[in-house]
Amino acid sequence: MFAGDIDSSLRAAKSLSSEFRLTYPSTRATTLMHMILGEVRLARAKLEREPIGAPPEALAVQRVDVAESLAMGLSGADALRSMVFTQQWALHSLKVGDPARCARALASLSILSSLQNAPSRSYKYLDAAQTWSQRDGDPANTSYVISGRALASFYLENNWQDARDHFRDALDHWKQGGRGYSHGIGVIYIFRSYAASYQGDMRELVDGVPKLLEEATRSGNRVLEASLRAGFAHRHLITDDAERGEDDLLRFLEGWPDRHFLWQHWLAVLRGAEIQLYLGRPETALALIDENRRRLRNSMLTQLHFVKCEFMHIQARCYLALARANESHRASALKRVEGFAKSLAKSNLDLAKAWSHLLNASVANLRNQVARARTSLQRALALFEKSGSHLYANATLRRIGELTDGNGGDRAQAKADIWMARQGIRVPGRILDMVTPGF
């Protein structure tokens, strides 16, 4: 899997599953079914019982370790199938009763529960993982628990700074445990960069991602390399080099198997559409989305709440840009945007609610409803500031300034412009049109 040979990896996973009596979900439908059954079994399991005193059978331990290998191997590309193996990893770990294995499995299960937007399950698994980790005492295994806390901050709370702090703590514990570079550490670095991206730390993306890409290439980890190329292609827009962003996506597509639509393919669609918005090509961005829409839905990645929200948001931005550029499409495009805004408003995530307010503001502005647009922008700004989403907060502040007369409007625009200049954003207007189209 790490070498990018997806088909061979899946064949090996199927063979190992059969040998060690693990469930291998061959289709997306059976994957969802086994995820539900796994949650039922875990709901009945005692997550924090005392360790078993007698040494476990060798085969039982091997089954746990194989399940761990399959869960971790698939996590970088196929989150849903990884969830099924993570559930089995946790259930078999609890039967064996080894603290280290239980801590790692339950912490990993909490991460995937956060991806599913299941806070009660995520925190329950984290608390149990913490108990097992304390019994084990190995700082490297504690790093799994801290990573779980980081991903809960990321996916459930949209608290980017808290997530980055937890990721830094997890790396420190990993090093204290005497461990070297691994795929799991690479994933921590990637998600720390994702948090920086949502926080709006543009300099971290420009300076830090190339180093991670170099390490992934040097270690031969093509999963991480593909995730970095696809997931951070938009970093080149900061320096107004959209061509390099498109080149990163092209290199990803040339070097990554296309038979299966995986996490990295979704990232390539998202970043590719953003690059096209930056270049003022909403029709091209929408064509890219439509070209991949069926494959994305068939992959069931939109079953993951955060992905579902991102997908609605990027579509809405494309339709807003189209409505602004082409008056003949405005009425139908704005109607679509209102539908996305309504759906995002139902989310429990602050980021999704903020996006909803921002979309409503853009729709109101394009309909010349300035007061209504300002009100929605103020609501969006409050939520962006709450989560520390500085790029969106300053973009929103800039739009408020544009719609506000007098010194107050000038001050708001100047404050946003200063922030963007400090982040090294070379062409602020294009970034604004990418994240807040419709003005």
Side-chain angles (χ1 to χ4, degrees):
M1 177 64 77
F2 298 154
D5 191 346
I6 307 298
D7 288 330
S8 294
S9 299
L10 294 177
R11 283 195 297 271
K14 191 171 184 178
S15 175
L16 284 167
S17 297
S18 176
E19 182 180 350
F20 287 91
R21 291 185 296 167
L22 296 167
T23 298
Y24 178 85
S26 55
T27 67
R28 296 296 175 182
T30 56
T31 298
L32 288 178
M33 180 187 72
H34 286 298
M35 284 170 58
I36 294 169
L37 291 174
E39 285 305 328
V40 171
R41 294 188 184 105
L42 283 160
R44 297 171 178 171
K46 294 182 179 179
L47 301 182
E48 298 182 28
R49 63 177 175 76
E50 290 299 317
I52 297 173
E57 295 181 2
L59 180 60
V61 174
Q62 289 177 344
R63 185 178 292 116
V64 170
D65 293 342
V66 168
E68 177 177 4
S69 178
L70 293 173
M72 295 299 289
L74 290 168
S75 64
D78 192 339
L80 293 176
R81 196 172 267 139
S82 176
M83 169 64 89
V84 175
F85 283 109
T86 303
Q87 290 172 331
Q88 294 177 82
W89 173 20
L91 287 165
H92 288 297
S93 293
L94 290 169
K95 287 180 182 178
V96 167
D98 175 63
R101 290 176 170 86
C102 289
R104 293 197 302 270
L106 290 167
S108 298
L109 197 56
S110 78
I111 290 171
L112 293 174
S113 297
S114 294
L115 255 175
Q116 292 180 295
N117 194 36
S120 60
R121 291 206 311 262
S122 179
Y123 295 128
K124 178 180 71 173
Y125 295 142
L126 271 176
D127 289 343
Q130 179 69 43
T131 299
W132 286 104
S133 175
Q134 289 170 347
R135 293 169 182 167
D136 172 58
D138 185 345
N141 289 323
T142 302
S143 73
Y144 280 77
V145 181
I146 300 170
S147 295
R149 301 277 181 204
L151 269 297
S153 294
F154 186 103
Y155 282 118
L156 301 176
E157 301 165 15
N158 302 154
N159 187 331
W160 319 121
Q161 187 58 56
D162 192 53
R164 292 176 75 179
D165 291 343
H166 279 309
F167 282 133
R168 187 180 302 110
D169 193 17
L171 289 171
D172 289 343
H173 276 75
W174 184 263
K175 293 171 185 175
Q176 289 171 24
R179 308 300 204 275
Y181 183 83
S182 69
H183 174 72
I185 291 305
V187 171
I188 289 177
Y189 280 122
I190 284 180
F191 273 96
R192 193 174 68 173
S193 297
Y194 284 154
S197 179
Y198 281 102
Q199 190 175 27
D201 189 347
M202 303 292 101
R203 291 194 177 279
E204 172 65 23
L205 299 187
V206 172
D207 298 336
V209 171
K211 297 175 184 176
L212 298 179
L213 189 54
E214 182 180 344
E215 178 60 34
T217 304
R218 185 195 63 76
S219 64
N221 192 329
R222 291 186 63 199
V223 171
L224 290 181
E225 182 183 353
S227 300
L228 288 163
R229 289 199 185 282
F232 296 99
H234 66 311
R235 77 185 190 278
H236 297 295
L237 304 180
I238 299 162
T239 55
D240 192 34
D241 197 348
E243 186 176 344
R244 284 189 68 188
E246 291 180 307
D247 181 63
D248 260 0
L249 291 178
L250 182 62
R251 291 177 68 181
F252 156 73
L253 291 170
E254 289 175 344
W256 193 242
D258 193 48
R259 180 181 172 188
H260 308 278
F261 194 93
L262 303 173
W263 181 268
Q264 291 78 8
H265 294 104
W266 152 242
L267 292 174
V269 172
L270 174 63
R271 300 313 181 196
E274 287 186 325
I275 289 172
Q276 295 306 316
L277 284 179
Y278 180 87
L279 293 171
R281 303 170 183 167
E283 296 94 339
T284 307
L286 283 168
L288 174 64
I289 290 170
D290 288 338
E291 180 183 329
N292 289 277
R293 185 184 305 276
R294 185 174 180 179
R295 296 189 72 200
L296 174 60
R297 287 191 172 154
N298 287 344
S299 74
M300 295 192 179
L301 282 170
T302 50
Q303 294 288 326
L304 304 176
H305 187 69
F306 200 86
V307 173
K308 181 180 179 181
C309 290
E310 282 188 314
F311 187 44
M312 288 191 287
H313 184 228
I314 187 60
Q315 290 178 88
R317 283 188 282 161
C318 291
Y319 281 114
L320 281 171
L322 182 65
R324 182 174 179 269
N326 193 328
E327 194 168 348
S328 65
H329 291 296
R330 185 164 297 175
S332 60
L334 293 185
K335 188 174 181 180
R336 286 176 178 267
V337 175
E338 285 179 313
F340 290 128
K342 187 177 292 186
S343 295
L344 286 167
K346 295 175 183 176
S347 172
N348 63 322
L349 301 181
D350 283 342
L351 182 64
K353 292 181 184 297
W355 282 342
S356 175
H357 290 309
L358 190 55
L359 295 178
N360 285 328
S362 299
V363 170
N365 182 65
L366 287 171
R367 289 175 174 162
N368 296 315
Q369 300 168 342
V370 177
R372 186 175 179 181
R374 267 200 308 266
T375 299
S376 291
L377 285 170
Q378 292 286 1
R379 290 171 178 166
L381 179 60
L383 288 171
F384 287 136
E385 289 180 336
K386 178 183 175 182
S387 65
S389 304
H390 300 310
L391 174 60
Y392 271 98
N394 281 280
T396 302
L397 181 64
R398 187 66 165 75
R399 297 308 194 191
I400 291 172
E402 293 171 5
L403 299 182
T404 304
D405 295 331
N407 292 335
D410 292 340
R411 284 194 298 270
Q413 292 182 66
K415 183 179 179 181
D417 290 345
I418 290 170
W419 181 88
M420 291 190 185
R422 287 175 176 168
Q423 289 296 319
I425 296 174
R426 195 164 294 175
V427 186
R430 284 189 168 185
I431 294 291
L432 282 168
D433 288 341
M434 181 186 74
V435 299
T436 58
F439 289 87

